Amino acid sequence: MILKSIFAAAVALAASMPLTHGVRADTVTDISGRKVEVKTPVENVILGEGRQIYLIAALDTDNPFKRIVGWREDFSQADPDNYAVYLEKFPSMATIPTFGGFKDGTFDIEQAIALQPDVMIMNIESKQATEDAQYIEKLAAVGIPVVYVDFREHPFTNTEPSMRLIGKLFGQEKRAEEFIAYRAAQIARVTDVIAKNDPKRPTVFVERAGGYADDCCMSFGNDNFGKFVEMAGGRNIAADLIPGTFGALNPEQIIASDPDQVIVTGGNWEAYVPGGKWVGVGPGADEAAALKKLKGLTERPALTGIKAVENGRIHAIWHQFYNSPYQFVAIQQMAKWLHPDLFADLDAEATFKELHEKFLPVDYRPGHWVSLSNEQ
């Protein structure tokens, strides 16, 4: 009865409110192909994933949180180092209401209604769960439109459209196009060289969140970090073994493939796996501690005796490149690992620093990758 009363009150309120001066009704197309009517530019936004702030910070650079009235509580847990960086500059972000996930059924629709957002932005992987729970219909009944974006499932198909969509919602189309152009130019600094030189491609095993769990080994198929490898001039050993974007390889498959190089994604996952074997790379990371953990991962049966271990070609890189429009930084660094001679003059660290200077409101802090090859 309480929820029905909230619905009724919200519907009545929405019907009685005129459009704010300068606000117009726009029909936008989201990543799933849905046509959604939204009053733009939006002023109050709920983020279905907190890490969507990676892009929003490049649009609302003066204050990325000024439109955010609620968000999923994942930024502080999945990326606490970056959360701390932003919290230092924008302490008010700590007061933004948070909620749980969609897949686990902890999303509080009554709370969302009470926040009166102009739009709710959700990741495409939550689509099935939101449809099953009829969230779209329930939110639409009280005048809250939902749009889907994607930086994770198919990033090289959906990142640019997602950036344009959020840019349109925020009235920041020009800024979004500037970011898109910068991202494309930085990717081309790798792909143009690979296309021109057509080098021999080393085989690469990418381990997703190595050390996060005892089981080995999560990896990537033909998209996300699997695609990064191909763009950087390597050959992803899981491309023909994992049919989708995400999956797993067993130790025997890795040993049989005998990869030339191994790239592990890592981050600070103390909130999820306290004291885990994960490699804690990220802004301001302790390089010595990260290297120690990375070396420890090479002692597992899945990596025993492979060429990459014997030659010290084992690397770790920030996991959140898989879920942000900053993928080009990872591609550049991976290209340097795979083809050091071709990319001797390419500095991924300088690129990431420049990205911060051009588009982000916080200063760059190094620590997003380490490599055992540097120890030789």
Side-chain angles (χ1 to χ4, degrees), residues 57-274:
L59 301 178
D60 284 342
T61 309
D62 59 324
N63 181 0
F65 307 97
K66 65 184 180 183
R67 305 177 203 252
I68 312 306
V69 297
W71 58 350
R72 183 183 170 193
E73 191 175 17
D74 60 278
F75 189 25
S76 63
Q77 298 170 337
D79 188 10
D81 297 330
N82 246 326
Y83 182 89
V85 171
Y86 277 87
L87 184 63
E88 183 180 322
K89 185 162 185 178
F90 303 101
S92 64
M93 67 186 260
T95 66
I96 299 174
T98 62
F99 54 85
F102 300 92
K103 291 182 180 180
D104 59 13
T106 58
F107 171 63
D108 187 343
I109 194 166
E110 292 186 32
Q111 179 189 23
I113 293 168
L115 295 172
Q116 298 185 2
D118 300 314
V119 70
M120 186 166 185
I121 303 174
M122 291 203 282
N123 283 3
I124 194 68
E125 65 266 21
S126 67
K127 187 172 186 291
Q128 187 62 54
T130 58
E131 288 179 348
D132 291 346
Q134 296 186 313
Y135 287 139
I136 303 295
E137 292 83 358
K138 292 173 182 176
L139 291 169
V142 293
I144 301 175
V146 173
V147 298
Y148 291 107
V149 297
D150 177 35
F151 299 99
R152 181 191 286 118
E153 295 290 322
H154 300 290
F156 290 96
T157 301
N158 293 334
T159 290
E160 288 190 7
S162 295
M163 294 169 74
R164 287 194 172 98
L165 173 59
I166 297 176
K168 184 174 182 63
L169 293 174
F170 283 29
Q172 291 276 27
E173 292 98 328
K174 182 175 183 293
R175 181 72 167 173
E177 290 300 331
E178 289 172 354
F179 196 120
I180 288 168
Y182 180 78
R183 175 179 175 272
Q186 295 301 324
I187 291 173
R189 294 178 68 189
V190 172
T191 54
D192 287 355
V193 173
I194 296 299
K196 178 181 178 181
N197 292 274
D198 192 22
K200 180 180 178 182
R201 292 176 175 263
T203 55
V204 182
F205 165 52
V206 183
E207 183 173 4
R208 181 186 179 195
Y212 185 94
D214 290 334
D215 294 340
C216 180
C217 295
M218 294 188 293
S219 191
F220 301 85
N222 284 312
D223 216 321
N224 208 291
F225 264 93
K227 181 71 170 178
F228 297 4
V229 167
E230 301 295 331
M231 297 176 78
R235 184 163 63 83
N236 173 25
I237 67 167
D240 297 325
L241 300 171
I242 295 176
T245 300
F246 306 110
L249 300 181
N250 62 50
E252 290 75 17
Q253 288 173 315
I254 299 167
I255 293 170
S257 297
D258 195 17
D260 297 308
Q261 301 206 30
V262 172
I263 298 173
V264 177
T265 71
N268 181 351
W269 290 309
E270 191 67 27
Y272 300 131
V273 188

Side-chain angles (χ1 to χ4, degrees), residues 10-32:
V11 169
L13 178 64
S16 66
M17 292 180 65
L19 285 176
T20 304
H21 178 69
V23 175
R24 65 183 186 275
D26 266 325
T27 299
V28 300
T29 303
D30 73 6
I31 295 306
S32 72

